[in-house]
């Protein structure tokens, strides 16, 4: 189906656009009152993800409010570990948890790449969303990176100190590499199926890559992301975005692995990033999400400041430097989206 709005795809390929495209990480979520009603209808978060019609509904909700240039599949990065049998569940105020944790070579040996059938609900959601979009905007698919998925699997959920995954890295590096190799295959198959089902671009979320030292980031995170990218690029002509939170130290290395776009957090300017990676990749980002708690004038000024940092009119996708907060007023998001589209160099 031909897209009515292809700004995002043009920007990812560093082609000229009439205005800077914008989408927002976590654009479908708890800051929207309609999302809260839909989640209550589903009873719990995982049921919401597994119901294609409801996942479609929450994917489309922000597009009804805002003139966004992309939709992103409503799902969770932990679908793969859940399909591996780790027993994903969510506790109020505590985030995701697993009933089973992975902390030894024996634990890793109990795992296998999930069958495609175990993740059919994700692909069904993609089909349902694409049908409902009718070519209005591109649909982004996504996955967590192998390292980021491993952190949750080894920690058993969210963590403040990541002592279990760091301990595994230092004391059993071969075991960690076995886990990462398995996850690399699983993520590759998962993203390939999303692509075959029809997503227009994908983003890899390396949320916890910034925890690592430089040698460890290159060895335990970026290396495996590169394997995923190379495998996908060998079969599919689709743009790939990489987001490593707190990963600005490694931009040059990230730009060399074959991705089309680097998504930045807010701790670097776009000008600095462009100076370092040149035109090798498109740039996504990178407004501080907390700007959305400010008044309208401040939001517009902050948006202009980000836009003015970018040199040229090709290869920039506006986004936040991380996901939107659940406490943001939706009116602030409209101010931001409109400000980005109204900006002219």
């Amino acid at each position: 189906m031909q897209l009515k709005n292809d700004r995002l795809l043009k920007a990812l390929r560093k082609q000229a656009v009439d205005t800077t495209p914008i989408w927002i990480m976590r654009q479908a979520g708890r800051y929207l009152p309609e999302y809260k009603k839909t989640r209550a209808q589903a009873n719990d978060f995982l049921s919401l993800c597994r119901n294609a019609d409801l996942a479609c509904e929450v994917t489309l909700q922000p597009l009804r409010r805002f003139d966004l240039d992309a939709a992103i599949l409503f799902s969770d990065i932990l679908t793969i570990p859940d399909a591996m049998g780790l027993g994903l569940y969510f506790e109020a105020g505590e985030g995701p948890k697993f009933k089973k944790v992975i902390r030894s070579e024996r634990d890793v040996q109990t795992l296998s790449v999930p069958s495609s059938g175990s993740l059919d609900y994700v692909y069904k959601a993609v089909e349902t969303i694409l049908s409902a979009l009718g070519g209005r905007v591109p649909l982004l698919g996504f996955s967590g990176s192998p390292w980021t998925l491993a952190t949750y699997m080894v920690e058993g959920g969210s963590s403040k100190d990541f002592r279990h995954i760091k301990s595994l890295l230092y004391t059993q590096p071969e075991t960690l590499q076995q886990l990462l190799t398995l996850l690399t295959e699983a993520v590759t198959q998962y993203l390939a199926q999303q692509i075959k089902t029809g997503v227009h671009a994908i983003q890899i979320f390396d949320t916890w890559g910034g925890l690592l030292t430089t040698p460890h980031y290159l060895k335990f995170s970026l290396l495996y992301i590169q394997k995923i990218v190379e495998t996908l690029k060998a079969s599919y002509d689709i743009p790939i975005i990489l987001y490593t939170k707190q990963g600005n130290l490694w931009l040059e290395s990230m730009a060399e692995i074959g991705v089309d776009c680097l998504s930045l957090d807010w701790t670097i300017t776009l000008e600095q990033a462009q100076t370092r990676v040149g035109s090798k990749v498109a740039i996504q980002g990178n407004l501080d999400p907390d700007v959305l708690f400010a008044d309208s004038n401040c939001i517009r000024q902050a948006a202009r400041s980000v836009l003015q940092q970018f040199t040229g009119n090709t290869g920039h996708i506006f986004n936040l430097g991380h996901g939107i907060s659940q406490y943001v007023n939706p009116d602030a998001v409209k101010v931001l989206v409109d400000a980005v589209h109204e900006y002219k160099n």
Side-chain angles (χ1 to χ4, degrees), residues 14-281:
K14 300 187 291 295
Q15 299 170 357
V17 291
D18 59 332
T19 188
T20 302
I22 175 173
W23 69 279
I24 297 172
M25 288 186 274
R26 293 187 193 154
Q27 64 188 30
R30 292 178 288 176
Y31 73 105
L32 295 175
E34 55 267 43
Y35 169 86
K36 294 176 183 178
K37 290 181 181 179
T38 307
R39 178 164 175 171
Q41 181 182 347
N43 294 321
D44 62 75
F45 179 75
L46 283 178
S47 296
L48 180 57
C49 292
R50 290 168 178 160
N51 184 310
D53 292 330
L54 295 183
C56 176
E57 166 61 20
V58 295
T59 298
L60 298 182
Q61 285 171 352
L63 274 74
R64 297 188 187 118
R65 280 184 177 258
F66 318 120
D67 186 23
L68 295 160
D69 294 296
I72 182 166
L73 166 69
F74 184 81
S75 188
D76 192 86
I77 64 169
L78 299 180
T79 51
I80 288 176
D82 183 48
M84 287 179 163
L86 270 61
L88 176 65
Y89 67 102
F90 290 81
E91 287 193 355
E94 295 189 27
K97 291 190 174 183
F98 287 112
K99 295 177 182 177
K100 176 183 176 182
V101 296
I102 304 300
R103 293 182 184 166
S104 69
E105 183 178 5
R106 178 175 295 180
D107 292 336
V108 173
Q109 290 172 349
T110 67
L111 301 174
S112 59
V113 174
S115 65
S116 59
S118 63
L119 292 163
D120 271 350
Y121 66 92
V122 177
Y123 315 131
K124 177 62 176 176
V126 171
E127 292 175 347
T128 305
I129 295 164
L130 286 169
S131 177
L133 281 172
R136 176 180 171 182
V137 293
L139 177 63
L140 287 161
F142 71 91
S143 174
S145 71
W147 164 258
T148 290
L149 297 182
T151 63
Y152 286 100
M153 295 167 71
V154 174
E155 294 295 330
S158 301
S159 177
K160 293 182 178 180
D161 56 18
F162 297 89
R163 65 186 185 277
H164 297 296
I165 187 75
K166 285 295 195 74
S167 176
L168 190 69
L169 184 155
Y170 283 109
T171 63
Q172 302 179 61
E174 295 85 3
T175 297
L176 178 56
Q177 288 170 320
Q178 290 174 21
L179 176 59
L180 293 169
T181 297
L182 180 67
L183 287 169
T184 297
E185 183 178 353
V187 170
T188 302
Q189 291 185 18
Y190 183 56
L191 290 175
Q193 189 59 46
Q194 289 185 40
I195 295 167
K196 286 187 281 189
T197 308
V199 300
H200 300 92
I202 57 174
Q203 176 156 315
I204 298 173
F205 287 88
D206 189 26
T207 309
W208 299 121
L211 296 172
L212 295 165
T213 67
T214 292
H216 286 159
Y217 175 74
L218 300 176
K219 182 176 181 179
F220 291 99
S221 185
L222 193 62
L223 173 64
Y224 295 95
I225 296 171
Q226 182 173 359
K227 292 178 180 179
I228 294 166
V229 172
E230 289 176 348
T231 302
L232 292 177
K233 287 288 188 178
S235 299
Y236 308 102
D237 179 21
I238 190 167
I240 300 176
I241 307 166
L242 171 59
Y243 173 71
T244 296
K245 186 181 178 185
Q246 297 179 334
N248 299 323
L249 180 64
W250 310 303
L251 291 182
E252 292 87 349
S253 296
M254 293 159 65
E256 294 290 343
I257 68 167
V259 295
D260 301 272
C261 179
L262 296 181
S263 189
L264 310 177
D265 67 24
W266 61 93
T267 60
I268 188 173
T269 68
L270 300 187
E271 184 179 24
Q272 290 169 333
Q274 281 187 286
T275 298
R276 290 171 55 188
V277 302
S279 60
K280 288 181 181 177
V281 292

Side-chain angles (χ1 to χ4, degrees), residues 281-303:
V281 292
I283 298 293
Q284 180 174 277
N286 64 335
L287 186 71
D288 179 356
D290 289 339
V291 169
L292 293 176
F293 293 117
D295 61 36
S296 296
N297 287 335
C298 183
I299 293 170
R300 293 189 191 98
Q301 183 178 357

